[in-house]
Amino acid sequence: MSTFFWLPADYNVKSFNKHAALDLVRFSGVGLSRTDLADKMGLTRAAVSLIVNDLLESQVIQEAASRSTPSGRPPIILEINPTRGLVGAIDMGATHLSIALADFTARIHYESEFPFDIKDGPETCIEEADQKLRNILSELGLSLSDLSAIGIGVPGPVITEAGMVIAPPIMPGWDHFPIRETLEEKWICPVTLNNDAELGALGEWAYGAGRGQKNIAYIKIGSGIGAGLVLNQQIYGGTTGAAGEIGHLTIDENGPLCNCGNHGCLEAFAGGHAIALQGQALAKSGKRTLLSDIPTEKITALTVTEAARHGDLHAQEILRRAGTSIGIAIAGLINLFNPSVVIIGGGVSQIGDTLTNPIRQAVRERAMRASEQSVRITTGMLGRRSLLIGATVQAINVAIHDAAENKNSSPKTSVLETFGAN
Ligand SMILES: [Zn+2]
């Protein structure tokens, strides 16, 4: 029996099969017939019919004709009813704030991005996110009460149960701040809080490069470096939710100082911030480099990448070394978790082959053959959207299972009409 069960575990055992069936339909990609469901769940057709009727009555799923039409009567396919509700997704990055609105199939109907500084601290940042979200909703003629749930991502170690981050290296002032509680009070709807790399993993697992896989790792390479793990088709958060801090694996104990206070972490060698620092040092070194024409303070990971692309050998060397360091850490992760796919995402991953080739080479050289032969290393399919889609998936987890239990709550058909959806 292979089932998902994504909702927070506060529903009773009696309705377990109903929620598992709902998740199977949700993550199937093209929908499932009643027979498919019976096969996957090891239940009789009669038992599945009861469950399906219940889900149809609460309008979280709907019937559709099969898209493939073999000879004879096409089977009825069960799929998620997109108009059952609307959720919000917010990605608070180190330097950007992205906000999206999506239906229950995780289709994004609205999306925008604003400049942002997570270092401004929780009060200012939360106020900003709140204002932006309210403005967007009011421009669309909607209000907060039209949202069934909101999913949030932050670039720090999230303690899931508490809805807060603990000692986040790049989020000064946020330590132990009650993020989820504050937002739930403001927005009066369920709010989920996750680490950004975790959401990248979830987004790519549900709708991208990791679809249909049991075990995947998503490596987010931005200013910092983090990993999200989906193991056995569930987010793996560890004991408190803080798992996946691959950026703080020690590569060299005598290496450069890291944001976390230690020396020689992966992030201090290969994060976007570290690449920028190395580019600045190169510019001042007197070596022949395109970077010497640029004011030092303007040199970022992106400028180093541009120089590398224009044939700057020293800039290429910086990226090659960063890729090797990331590859060494990923080889360790592959040895520990034996995933089938490792997805490279985040802003710095846009660099392309100059970064991914040395990553692949380090993995070939260092990961154990038994794991290495079966792993695919790829860039994300959802690009910059993987985190937002992950946040959407988390919000829907709460909203859709809730809707399945509350047949009287009405579908938001009119809300979706705002976007011109059927
Ligand atoms: Zn560190």
Side-chain angles (χ1 to χ4, degrees):
M1 172 159 153
S2 112
T3 52
F4 310 106
F5 200 45
W6 275 87
L7 77 165
D10 53 359
Y11 289 95
N12 59 32
V13 175
K14 213 177 99 201
S15 58
F16 180 95
N17 279 338
K18 177 168 76 174
H19 293 288
L22 179 57
D23 280 340
L24 280 170
V25 171
R26 232 182 120 195
F27 296 121
S28 65
V30 290
L32 291 174
S33 70
R34 287 171 171 78
T35 313
D36 295 335
L37 263 184
D39 288 349
K40 283 184 187 291
M41 300 183 72
L43 295 174
T44 62
R45 274 296 300 266
V48 164
S49 279
L50 282 176
I51 292 170
V52 167
N53 290 345
D54 200 350
L55 291 171
L56 284 169
E57 202 185 317
S58 58
Q59 301 185 57
V60 288
I61 64 170
Q62 63 188 17
E63 293 183 317
S66 169
R67 282 157 192 80
S68 63
T69 45
S71 55
R73 197 162 61 99
I76 305 265
I77 292 294
L78 304 164
E79 59 181 27
I80 298 299
N81 173 10
T83 65
R84 185 62 173 79
L86 187 70
V87 297
I90 300 183
D91 170 25
M92 292 191 200
T95 57
H96 71 268
L97 171 72
S98 302
I99 301 182
L101 302 175
D103 65 32
F104 270 19
T105 62
R107 184 170 160 221
I108 291 181
H109 292 273
Y110 174 92
E111 182 182 0
S112 62
E113 191 176 304
F114 310 92
F116 187 70
D117 192 351
I118 201 91
K119 292 197 210 71
D120 288 343
E123 280 90 0
T124 308
C125 288
I126 284 177
E127 179 65 25
E128 232 176 297
D130 178 47
Q131 276 310 317
K132 291 279 191 306
L133 177 64
R134 284 175 198 269
N135 290 348
I136 289 166
L137 289 169
S138 99
E139 274 168 34
L140 292 165
L142 299 171
S143 69
L144 276 164
S145 61
D146 292 316
L147 298 182
S148 305
I150 300 174
I152 312 282
V154 290
V158 170
I159 306 304
T160 321
E161 291 266 298
M164 54 176 67
V165 290
I166 304 286
I170 62 164
M171 298 173 69
W174 290 76
D175 187 23
H176 282 87
F177 185 89
I179 305 172
R180 189 176 59 216
E181 196 185 303
T182 307
L183 291 174
E184 281 184 339
E185 266 169 33
K186 271 185 191 296
W187 295 338
I188 328 218
C189 75
V191 171
T192 61
L193 182 73
N194 287 86
N195 165 263
D196 54 0
E198 212 164 71
L199 292 180
L202 185 53
E204 290 286 346
W205 172 80
Y207 300 106
R211 188 164 217 168
Q213 304 293 317
K214 262 203 157 78
N215 304 301
I216 71 160
Y218 176 90
I219 316 293
K220 178 178 179 265
I221 313 171
S223 311
I225 301 180
L229 301 167
V230 172
L231 299 180
N232 222 353
Q233 308 184 112
Q234 298 286 333
I235 290 183
Y236 178 76
T239 303
T240 57
E245 291 293 343
I246 197 173
H248 302 285
L249 276 186
T250 306
I251 297 289
D252 174 0
E253 60 180 324
N254 299 313
L257 181 66
C258 179
N259 274 319
C260 73
N262 280 322
H263 280 270
C265 296
L266 173 63
E267 192 166 301
F269 280 103
H273 182 62
I275 291 173
L277 288 180
Q278 291 165 46
Q280 290 165 10
L282 169 62
K284 287 189 274 188
S285 68
K287 290 180 184 158
R288 263 174 69 96
T289 168
L290 297 170
L291 295 176
S292 54
D293 300 336
I294 302 168
T296 316
E297 69 280 5
K298 292 227 162 109
I299 295 175
T300 63
L302 192 70
T303 7
V304 177
T305 307
E306 278 304 305
R309 207 165 271 155
H310 286 92
D312 186 326
L313 297 178
H314 297 295
Q316 287 171 3
E317 176 61 16
I318 289 176
L319 298 181
R320 198 190 56 74
R321 280 204 311 261
T324 301
S325 300
I326 295 167
I328 290 171
I330 291 178
L333 181 143
I334 289 172
N335 286 344
L336 284 175
F337 293 108
N338 186 206
S340 58
V341 188
V342 174
I343 300 161
I344 314 285
V348 176
S349 72
Q350 319 273 323
I351 288 171
D353 290 350
T354 319
L355 191 76
T356 46
N357 284 342
I359 291 178
R360 289 197 177 96
Q361 193 186 336
V363 167
R364 266 197 306 276
E365 286 167 5
R366 289 165 193 269
M368 300 295 286
R369 287 273 294 284
S371 295
E372 188 269 322
Q373 283 179 337
S374 56
V375 71
R376 186 159 53 90
I377 296 175
T378 178
T379 46
M381 245 169 76
L382 306 174
R384 294 176 62 82
R385 266 189 166 180
S386 55
L387 272 65
L388 270 181
I389 293 183
T392 300
V393 172
Q394 278 296 70
I396 298 169
N397 285 341
V398 177
I400 202 168
H401 290 287
D402 217 34
E405 290 291 317
N406 294 291
K407 298 182 188 92
N408 297 328
S409 77
S410 57
K412 310 268 188 185
T413 318
S414 60
V415 170
L416 268 299
E417 274 163 10
T418 311
F419 306 102
N422 45 12

